[in-house]
Each structure stands twice: as structure tokens, then as C-alpha cells.
Amino acid sequence: MTMTMRSTSLFFLLSLLSLSSASHHRYHDHDHSTSNTNATPTPTSSIQQLCNAATRFPDLCVSSLSNSKQLPPNPTPLQLIYSSLSVTSETARTVQSKVNAILNSAAGDQNRTRAANNCLEVLKSSLYRISITANDALPRGNLKSARTWMSASLLHHTDCGSALKNINDTKLATETLTLVNSLINITSNALSLLFSYDHFGNNTASWIPPRTERDGFWGAVKTSGSGSGSGIAGFKGGVPANLKVDVTVSKDGSSGSYKTVQDAVNAAPNNTADGKRFVIRIKAGVYEEIVRVPLEKKNVVFLGDGIGKTVITGSLNVGQPGISTSSSATVAVLGDGFMASGLTFQNTAGADKDNQSHQAVAFKSSSDLSVIENCEFLGNQDTLFAQTLRQFYKSCRIVGNVDFVFGNAAAFFQDCQILVKPRQAGPEQEGKSYMTAHGRTDPAQATGYVFYNCLINGTEEFMKMYHGASNPEMHSNFLGRPWKEYSRTVYIQSNLQELVSTQGWLPWSDDLGLKTLYFGEFRNSGPGFTPSRRVNWSNQIPAEHVQTYSVENFIQGDQWIPSS
Ligand SMILES: *[C@@H]1O[C@H](CO)[C@@H](O)[C@H](O)[C@H]1NC(C)=O
Ligand SMILES: *[C@@H]1O[C@H](CO)[C@@H](O)[C@H](O)[C@H]1NC(C)=O
Ligand SMILES: *[C@@H]1O[C@H](CO)[C@@H](O)[C@H](O)[C@H]1NC(C)=O
Ligand SMILES: *[C@@H]1O[C@H](CO)[C@@H](O)[C@H](O)[C@H]1NC(C)=O
Ligand SMILES: *[C@@H]1O[C@H](CO)[C@@H](O)[C@H](O)[C@H]1NC(C)=O
Ligand SMILES: *[C@@H]1O[C@H](CO)[C@@H](O)[C@H](O)[C@H]1NC(C)=O
Ligand SMILES: *[C@@H]1O[C@H](CO)[C@@H](O)[C@H](O)[C@H]1NC(C)=O
Ligand SMILES: *[C@@H]1O[C@H](CO)[C@@H](O)[C@H](O)[C@H]1NC(C)=O
């Protein structure tokens, strides 16, 4: 293979991946291979070697990459990764056209329409993430962003599968679901190749299938000053002071201001360039509305007049027809670079079964490089949906009772208060609470929740009920439970009050994830810190590895969180 041919194939891969949302139907022709008179090429040894060494589904890896016509005979690791991204995006586009066909034949069936639309929305996000992985992260050698974005792509494919599971009663729908399941594994393989490339680079002899702390695997980390063993330091930075306001929202719409938050969001330009922001000042008041910040609205900032003064509130919940956990959110953000400061996000729906409400999200974020400071999140079940990508929360208050911080983001919570509120009406009615339910599905996903220097307590009303119960165990509270197989949650140098149960953590159902999750603690304090009585599938983090969970290492915050 000559140099010229090699760079030509690389160029072809890149152009194949360039994102143009108008070109949905262009690239899914790989199943028309009858026009190709050559037999399927035999996999070369380097494809076989790297697929076998590094992926969870090696056969699928070999077969999907060997069909890729662009790869040179003995591809380099990077060429193989570009090719795996190309195969992932082609397959996602094929799914997209099939789901469009489902939508077009839905004939007014609301369940079918909703499932198809949900799937199309997440595929759009996924294709965007794959495209910026290939065209931005990899060319710049930014492997942390590459892993973050492909972790999001995998999450979106999993979500598309969950949506379609509900409508699998036609041939087209079952076919599509089968293809989505294959897409999920293809994406997992691409992410696994990135995992090994990130950790071992071109030294392919060291490549391994993705491992986690639970397998004793800890990646290399940057130690920032403090030195290993001395814990981690708080991150100085957050929402910048003195931001220039672009538009204002007020209840009375006076002097040129908008009356609703959504109107102000709609006024933001598409794709605000990095380094610029669109700042929305939201004056004190209770805004009863549902707010959506779409993928195109980047670097949007909400500035309120303070917690409890500026309040955005809703009451959508899964007990209502057509509402899913995701769509119940009072405020949902897709655009990257979102910031908020000085406001309350609320969902008032109750968690009590008898009140027919259940999951009811106050704030959902899928915004990469997002900073939230001095905000309050009020709800019951599923208050804060930190769904995917990198998010930094500082000095926030999060209130709820069931799984009230949940999702599959890489989120860092610093100096926050996590408060349990009553789930049941009275002290003698039993009700367990879970602060978190992290949902990592794949060991290569660079996701997890870190709580650093946080206070875990109950609200005043909850603590009254807790103490009033004849047996406080009736209101036992857990640091988390594993929503998915590879759930990852750690509490570091945090203050755990008495309401935290001595076992610390609770299973989700049976033994789901108990051998694969990572639940850790490091130098916590307070009456709820009882390390000797914790469940034996949780860990105290070894001091030499605690830097893994610093803002720098966990979410690369030193590269994007404003320092003032
Ligand atoms: C839609 O889904 C709901 C809940 O799963 C079900 O009760 C209803 O029968 C479905 N409607 C149709 C038209 O299939
Ligand atoms: C299709 O739906 C039925 C009924 O909900 C379920 O039993 C079956 O497992 C589903 N098939 C797939 C492939 O998910
Ligand atoms: C895809 O992954 C699932 C779940 O991990 C597994 O059961 C299935 O066999 C895989 N399919 C292929 C084609 O690799
Ligand atoms: C791997 O080698 C290629 C040159 O073949 C180089 O461009 C790339 O930076 C190397 N990757 C890493 C992670 O060192
Ligand atoms: C912003 O992007 C959306 C989605 O692509 C599009 O519908 C809308 O027209 C765009 N707005 C402007 C002003 O370009
Ligand atoms: C549920 O509803 C009942 C009756 O409306 C009410 O008494 C109770 O306080 C509610 N529970 C919660 C937790 O809101
Ligand atoms: C925990 O909450 C209770 C009830 O509101 C309060 O009395 C107590 O001071 C709180 N603990 C800490 C450490 O803030
Ligand atoms: C962990 O505890 C469970 C029940 O408490 C017990 O059955 C199991 O053997 C223990 N596992 C280990 C590895 O100690």
C-alpha cells in the first residue's frame, strides 16, 4: 500500500462521515453487494488481531470491518477506528431510513408515531456525535472527547432500541429492532477500540477488552499538585461572573423582555460559536412552562435572580397518557455548553403510588461541557436526569426520593446538598429512597457520577418523619442502586448524615450488575459513613487511585470550565 492510496482511503472515510442531515439515504448501500463481483474480502490479520484483542463482540467486529471497502490490507489502529466509526454511522443511517418507513406507515397510531419519533430524535444526536468524533476529536488527537461522544452515541442507540421494543408487532418493526441490536454492538465495538487506543495508543500488543475499576483496571491519570494519596481538591471555577445579558425574561414582559423562557430560548441563534454565549436573564418569578433547548442551541446561559426566586416549574409525569420519563422533564437541554445559575428547576408531581404519578423529571441534561452553579432541583422520583456527556454541578441543592439523580452522564457534583424528602404521607408508611441510579450499560463508556464534598441529608420534614417512625428502618435511604450493569457512582470527602443506611447501597433487582458495577467511597465522614457495614459489592477507593475522579481526569474540566 502506497502512501497516496492510504491517505486517499482516509480521506474517503472522512468525507463519508461528514454530517449533512439532508443526506440520510446516501450511504446505506452496503447490503447491495450483489453489484460487487468480488467475493467478500478475507479479513486481514490486523483486523482480526485488534477485534479479538479489544472488543466484546469480536466476530461482529471482524465481519463488519472486513466488508468495509475503504480499508487498506493492513490498517493502522487509527484507520481501523475511523472505519469502525464509518460502519457505525452507515448502520445508524440504515436504521434511520427504516424508522422513517415505520413512521410513514404509522397511520395515526400514536404509540407507533411516538416510538418512531423518539428513535429519530436520538439517532440525530447520535449521528452528530459520531460525525464530530471523526471530524473533530480524532484529527485533533482528543481521545477523551472521542470516548465521551461515542459513549453518548451508544446510549442513544440503546434508547432507540428501548423505544422500538414497544412496537414490535410488524415485520418491518421486528426487522428494525434486530438491526438496532446489531447497531448497539457495532457501536460498543467502536467504543472499545477507542478505549484501548486511549489507554495504550499504537502499542497494540497491550490492547484489551474494556475493563473497569471492578476488574482492578485504573487508567493513567494526571495528578494536579496535591500528590497521590492526599485526596482530591475542589475545582475553582464555574459560571463566570459579569456575563453580558443578551435577552431578558420577566413575568410581565415589560420593556422589551420575553414573557416565557421558551420564547427567549427560541430567540437564540443556532450553533453559537465556541467562546461565545447567548445569555438569558430570567427575572424573579414562577414560570409555569415546559422548556426545551434543542441540539442546535449551543452555549445558552440561564441567569436567575436566585434559588427560590426564579423558578421554572411543571408537573408532567409518567402517570399521564403519552408521557415518558424523558418527556416529563420541566426543562430539557440538548445543546452543548449550557450553563445555569441562580434558579430553581421543579417538577411538582408526587412520587406516591396512590397519587398516580411516578417518574417526573425536573431537569434533564444531555449537554456536553455544561456548568450548573447555585441551582436547585426539586422533585420526587427522577428529579435530575443527568443523561449523557460531561456535566459539572457546583453548590447545587438536589431534592427527591426515588433515583433522584439518574442517567448515564459523566457528571461531577461539587459542594452540593443532596436531600431526601418524604416519599410517603406518614411516619408509619414504609418508603425507601435512593439518591442515585447510574445507568452505564457498557464497560467502555466513560461515564459515572462523582459526588465531591457534598452533604447527604434529609429535608427538615423528612428528618421529622424519620425520627417519628417507630422503626427508622422503614425509611431507609441508599447512596445508589445499579440501574444498569456497569453503573458507576462514587462519593468522595462527603458528609453522610444519619439517614444513610449502614449497608450504603441497594441492588436494583436480584443480582443485576452486582459483579460489574463500581460503587466507591473515599474519606467520607458523618454518622452515615459506616464502611465496615457496607455491602460487599461496594468499595473504599484506594488512595493511589482517587485522582481518577478529579474534575481534571473525570470530565477534563480544566480544559473547559471557566476559571472564574
Ligand atoms: C398504546 O400503548 C398503551 C400503553 O402501553 C396501550 O394501553 C394502548 O392500547 C396502546 N395503543 C395502541 C393503539 O396500540
Ligand atoms: C416483542 O414484544 C413482545 C410483547 O411485548 C415481547 O414478548 C417480545 O420479547 C418482543 N420481542 C423483542 C425482540 O423484543
Ligand atoms: C449483541 O449483544 C448482545 C448483548 O450483549 C448479545 O446477546 C448478542 O449476542 C450480540 N449480538 C451480536 C451479533 O454480537
Ligand atoms: C499512532 O501512530 C500514528 C502514526 O501512524 C500517529 O499519528 C498517532 O498519533 C499515534 N497515536 C497515538 C495515540 O500515539
Ligand atoms: C435552526 O436549526 C433548526 C434545526 O435544524 C432549523 O429548523 C431552524 O430553521 C434553524 N434556524 C435558523 C434561524 O437557521
Ligand atoms: C398523595 O395524595 C393524598 C391524597 O390526595 C395526599 O393526602 C398525600 O399527601 C399525597 N402524598 C404525597 C407524597 O404527596
Ligand atoms: C440535616 O438536616 C437536619 C434537618 O433539617 C438539620 O437539623 C441538620 O442540621 C442537617 N445537618 C447538617 C450537617 O447540615
Ligand atoms: C457478599 O455477601 C453476600 C450476602 O451478604 C454473600 O452471600 C456473599 O458470599 C458475599 N460475597 C463475598 C465475595 O464475600
Side-chain angles (χ1 to χ4, degrees):
M1 175 65 45
T2 67
M3 206 53 221
T4 320
M5 286 178 75
R6 205 175 276 173
S7 35
T8 307
S9 11
L10 198 57
F11 173 76
F12 182 56
L13 288 177
L14 287 170
S15 57
L16 217 154
L17 281 161
S18 69
L19 180 77
S20 149
S21 52
S23 60
H24 294 168
H25 304 283
R26 253 158 54 193
Y27 301 126
H28 52 87
D29 57 351
H30 60 289
D31 44 16
H32 303 309
S33 43
T34 44
S35 62
N36 185 346
T37 49
N38 297 328
T40 305
T42 40
T44 64
S45 57
S46 87
I47 295 179
Q48 229 149 23
Q49 183 212 331
L50 296 183
C51 284
N52 286 333
T55 70
R56 302 171 68 212
F57 310 107
D59 295 348
L60 182 62
C61 177
V62 171
S63 65
S64 62
L65 294 182
S66 303
N67 285 331
S68 158
K69 295 170 197 108
Q70 307 92 35
L71 265 185
N74 258 310
T76 66
L78 201 51
Q79 285 172 328
L80 199 70
I81 287 170
Y82 274 115
S83 179
S84 73
L85 296 177
S86 160
V87 167
T88 307
S89 94
E90 282 174 45
T91 312
R93 284 184 197 283
T94 310
V95 169
Q96 195 177 43
S97 64
K98 282 180 184 291
V99 176
N100 269 314
I102 292 176
L103 186 63
N104 292 336
S105 60
D109 179 329
Q110 285 184 359
N111 291 351
R112 205 169 290 281
T113 303
R114 199 178 305 120
N117 278 327
N118 286 345
C119 190
L120 289 173
E121 188 189 328
V122 296
L123 284 173
K124 176 180 165 185
S125 292
S126 166
L127 285 164
Y128 171 64
R129 296 298 166 195
I130 301 168
S131 142
I132 59 178
T133 303
N135 297 324
D136 178 7
L138 287 181
R140 288 193 294 119
N142 188 342
L143 301 182
K144 301 297 177 202
S145 287
R147 274 189 68 194
T148 300
W149 296 338
M150 289 311 292
S151 298
S153 171
L154 176 55
L155 168 108
H156 293 312
H157 296 159
T158 308
D159 282 352
C160 171
S162 307
L164 295 182
K165 259 180 207 142
N166 301 324
I167 54 154
N168 73 1
D169 55 353
T170 64
K171 184 161 168 287
L172 179 60
T174 22
E175 245 174 54
T176 310
L177 187 54
T178 305
L179 186 63
V180 173
N181 286 332
S182 164
L183 173 63
I184 290 168
N185 296 9
I186 285 172
T187 317
S188 165
N189 284 342
L191 184 59
S192 292
L193 295 172
L194 275 170
F195 174 94
S196 269
Y197 188 61
D198 181 20
H199 288 292
F200 311 109
N202 290 311
N203 177 16
T204 53
S206 299
W207 283 31
I208 51 170
R211 300 213 175 118
T212 73
E213 301 93 321
R214 199 59 191 282
D215 310 309
F217 181 85
W218 305 81
V221 293
K222 289 193 267 182
T223 49
S224 54
S226 50
S228 89
S230 57
I232 63 179
F235 191 79
K236 292 183 185 58
V239 177
N242 308 318
L243 285 171
K244 190 187 133 290
V245 171
D246 290 291
V247 298
T248 300
V249 182
S250 66
K251 286 301 287 180
D252 59 6
S254 60
S255 49
S257 62
Y258 291 98
K259 272 183 115 158
T260 69
V261 179
Q262 187 67 56
D263 283 345
V265 169
N266 294 346
N270 282 356
N271 300 311
T272 295
D274 289 344
K276 296 200 165 151
R277 301 182 221 283
F278 186 81
V279 179
I280 302 173
R281 155 124 197 260
I282 310 170
K283 287 191 176 175
V286 177
Y287 299 85
E288 233 175 280
E289 58 171 312
I290 300 304
V291 179
R292 298 290 176 255
V293 180
L295 196 59
E296 294 78 18
K297 306 286 185 190
K298 292 193 179 129
N299 302 322
V300 170
V301 184
F302 286 4
L303 290 184
D305 279 347
I307 286 176
K309 297 196 174 95
T310 297
V311 179
I312 308 178
T313 188
S315 59
L316 293 178
N317 64 79
V318 169
Q320 297 166 327
I323 302 294
S324 64
T325 301
S326 252
S327 66
S328 73
T330 302
V331 176
V333 181
L334 290 177
D336 287 347
F338 180 76
M339 292 189 182
S341 172
L343 64 154
T344 293
F345 299 91
Q346 176 171 264
N347 190 317
T348 58
D352 194 324
K353 252 205 192 80
D354 306 331
N355 296 9
Q356 299 289 312
S357 40
H358 316 291
Q359 297 92 332
V361 173
F363 180 74
K364 172 185 160 183
S365 174
S366 310
S367 173
D368 198 23
L369 314 182
S370 157
V371 182
I372 314 276
E373 189 169 357
N374 287 317
C375 284
E376 180 181 57
F377 303 90
L378 300 179
N380 285 288
Q381 178 168 358
D382 290 357
T383 307
L384 174 55
F385 189 178
Q387 193 194 23
T388 178
L389 303 161
R390 290 164 291 194
Q391 308 178 15
F392 181 61
Y393 295 82
K394 189 176 193 179
S395 304
C396 290
R397 181 156 58 211
I398 308 164
V399 182
N401 38 49
V402 175
D403 305 331
F404 60 99
V405 180
F406 77 107
N408 193 7
F412 193 99
F413 300 87
Q414 175 175 324
D415 311 333
C416 291
Q417 289 188 31
I418 317 297
L419 302 178
V420 172
K421 71 177 282 201
R423 181 175 177 185
Q424 303 292 358
E428 298 307 326
Q429 271 181 286
E430 187 168 18
K432 290 187 171 68
S433 290
Y434 325 97
M435 284 112 199
T436 65
H438 188 258
R440 182 164 67 162
T441 60
D442 189 287
Q445 279 175 321
T447 63
Y449 293 152
V450 178
F451 294 88
Y452 167 76
N453 193 38
C454 291
L455 169 69
I456 317 300
N457 202 0
T459 62
E460 212 175 313
E461 195 195 355
F462 179 85
M463 292 316 293
K464 209 182 283 172
M465 184 177 91
Y466 182 84
H467 288 130
S470 51
N471 170 13
E473 285 291 300
M474 292 177 73
H475 304 282
S476 45
N477 308 286
F478 301 87
L479 298 171
R481 53 179 188 158
W483 183 23
K484 303 286 174 186
E485 201 100 14
Y486 294 89
S487 185
R488 175 160 68 158
T489 303
V490 301
Y491 289 76
I492 294 175
Q493 292 155 254
S494 286
N495 178 342
L496 315 186
Q497 288 299 296
E498 63 184 315
L499 79 165
V500 175
S501 106
T502 54
Q503 310 97 288
W505 313 84
L506 201 71
W508 179 270
S509 89
D510 302 322
D511 60 353
L512 174 80
L514 299 191
K515 291 202 169 73
T516 44
L517 58 75
Y518 189 74
F519 285 169
E521 294 181 86
F522 184 80
R523 291 193 194 153
N524 288 328
S525 61
F529 181 50
T530 53
S532 64
R533 301 185 56 190
R534 292 294 192 243
V535 289
N536 60 12
W537 36 271
S538 70
N539 289 85
Q540 299 300 314
I541 300 163
E544 67 267 33
H545 294 306
V546 73
Q547 295 293 334
T548 302
Y549 309 104
S550 69
V551 168
E552 291 86 346
N553 289 311
F554 200 70
I555 55 174
Q556 296 82 53
D558 52 328
Q559 291 166 31
W560 56 270
I561 301 171
S563 53
S564 64

